[in-house]
Amino acid sequence: MKVAACKYPVGRPADFEAFAAKQRRLLGEAAARGAQVAVLPEYLSLELAATFPPAVHADLRASLAAIQSLREAWLALFAAIARDTGMHVVAGSFLLAQASGRYRNRADVFAPDGGHLWQDKLQLTGFEKATGVIEGGDVLKVAEIAGVRAGVSVCYDSEFPLPVRAQYEAGARLLLVPSCTDTDAGATRVQVGCLARALENRIFVAQAVTAGQAPWSPALDENTGEATLYAPMDVGFPADGILARTRGGEAWAVADLDFDLLEDTRGRAQVANDRDWTGQAIPALVRARVEGFTAP
């Protein structure tokens, strides 16, 4: 399977059609490179806030409320792109209004046959908690994508091992990570999380990122990191776990993911974190005991 992860240049679209044209162009480039799955970054929907007046796009709460009017157009756009390109498309994330009056950070996934599913972000960052209007999701999913079982882990969620482990145990061998980070430290945290999830579960991970500056938006102001495709750091794969990574102005990291090789090398791995996972649950290891030094 060829998978593409986007280093998305955040812009300032004049209207929805300008935004749509950008998505068609970018995703068309991924399709032209043979991608079967393409991943866009977290908070992609907030680029649409630029289509509203300054009083709206300069205020996060107003931005979140305003973009709800574009939800149906968003769904129609990415469904059409998936159909036209023949790719499965992870359309970044859309901050979707809930009956509670808050918003969930929802990653929509579109199939070429018109199918649609979603995964909400589960864990909130400090920034999201501070908004007072974003809430975490409460459902964890895995689905068949282009013949491979896959899960979505939105940015910060990739830094938590247990939900991803649950996706692995449900059969996921590919983790799709839409992300958005505004500092080098944040970018490093998500990168380390992706590498760790690839290592401990012996799976592939595809991380998309936002890039550039958007001073008009309180959420998309600064953007860092590189789009990357990760593999286990073991037999048959790169020693650093990096299959492909963007550089400079490149928009896509693209790699062929060999799932047959992934399974074939499981039995001859140098280490087997995935198989040895249950060793952590030995009763004597579940709780550490405090112990003093013995006398000499």
Side-chain angles (χ1 to χ4, degrees):
M1 177 195 291
K2 185 168 284 189
V3 177
C6 192
K7 181 180 180 180
Y8 185 87
V10 177
R12 194 170 180 173
D15 51 32
F16 186 85
E17 189 45 50
F19 173 84
K22 180 178 179 180
Q23 309 315 308
R24 294 189 190 101
R25 175 181 57 80
L26 275 172
L27 289 164
E29 292 172 3
R33 295 179 63 176
Q36 295 164 270
V37 179
V39 188
L40 294 171
E42 182 188 30
Y43 285 162
L44 178 62
S45 64
L46 285 176
E47 190 180 57
L48 287 169
T51 66
F52 294 92
V56 173
H57 65 60
D59 180 272
L60 180 60
R61 291 192 182 208
S63 294
L64 295 176
I67 64 173
Q68 302 309 306
S69 64
L70 300 173
R71 175 62 177 174
E72 292 306 313
W74 168 281
L75 293 173
L77 168 65
F78 287 106
I81 293 175
R83 181 191 66 237
D84 294 344
T85 61
M87 295 190 301
H88 281 77
V89 176
V90 182
S93 72
F94 190 104
L95 278 295
L96 186 62
Q98 304 295 301
S100 63
R102 295 173 175 252
Y103 300 86
R104 289 198 177 183
N105 196 352
R106 177 160 296 180
D108 294 295
V109 184
F110 298 86
D113 65 2
H116 168 240
L117 61 89
W118 51 265
Q119 174 66 59
D120 287 339
K121 188 174 187 176
L122 306 175
Q123 298 288 341
L124 302 185
T125 63
F127 167 78
E128 288 167 327
K129 291 176 182 176
T131 68
V133 294
I134 298 175
E135 66 180 26
D138 53 11
V139 175
L140 186 63
K141 302 178 180 181
V142 163
E144 294 286 337
I145 294 180
V148 172
R149 201 161 287 185
V152 175
S153 187
V154 182
C155 199
Y156 189 36
D157 285 346
S158 68
E159 299 176 35
F160 292 86
L162 296 185
V164 176
R165 182 66 186 186
Q167 290 171 310
Y168 164 81
E169 291 177 348
R173 296 298 178 265
L174 172 62
L175 188 68
L176 305 168
V177 181
S179 73
C180 175
T181 54
D182 61 357
T183 65
D184 290 339
T188 300
R189 286 192 295 268
V190 179
Q191 175 184 328
V192 169
C194 289
L195 278 167
R197 305 297 80 81
L199 167 66
E200 68 201 10
N201 298 299
R202 199 168 185 82
I203 59 174
F204 293 118
V205 180
Q207 179 199 1
V209 302
T210 48
Q213 297 184 329
W216 52 268
S217 169
L220 292 175
D221 48 357
E222 301 282 341
N223 300 278
T224 60
E226 300 290 344
T228 308
L229 289 124
Y230 305 88
M233 295 125 272
D234 209 331
V235 172
F237 300 107
D240 62 359
I242 307 300
L243 291 170
R245 171 168 283 170
T246 54
R247 293 183 179 181
E250 291 177 334
W252 292 100
V254 182
D256 284 302
L257 307 186
D258 190 335
F259 290 92
D260 288 335
L261 175 64
L262 189 72
E263 295 305 320
D264 289 345
T265 59
R266 237 177 241 283
R268 52 190 175 90
Q270 293 172 323
V271 293
N273 304 66
D274 55 318
R275 294 201 312 270
D276 295 335
W277 179 270
T278 55
Q280 304 172 88
I282 295 171
L285 303 184
V286 173
R287 293 286 185 273
R289 67 187 187 192
V290 178
E291 191 165 300
F293 290 96
T294 59

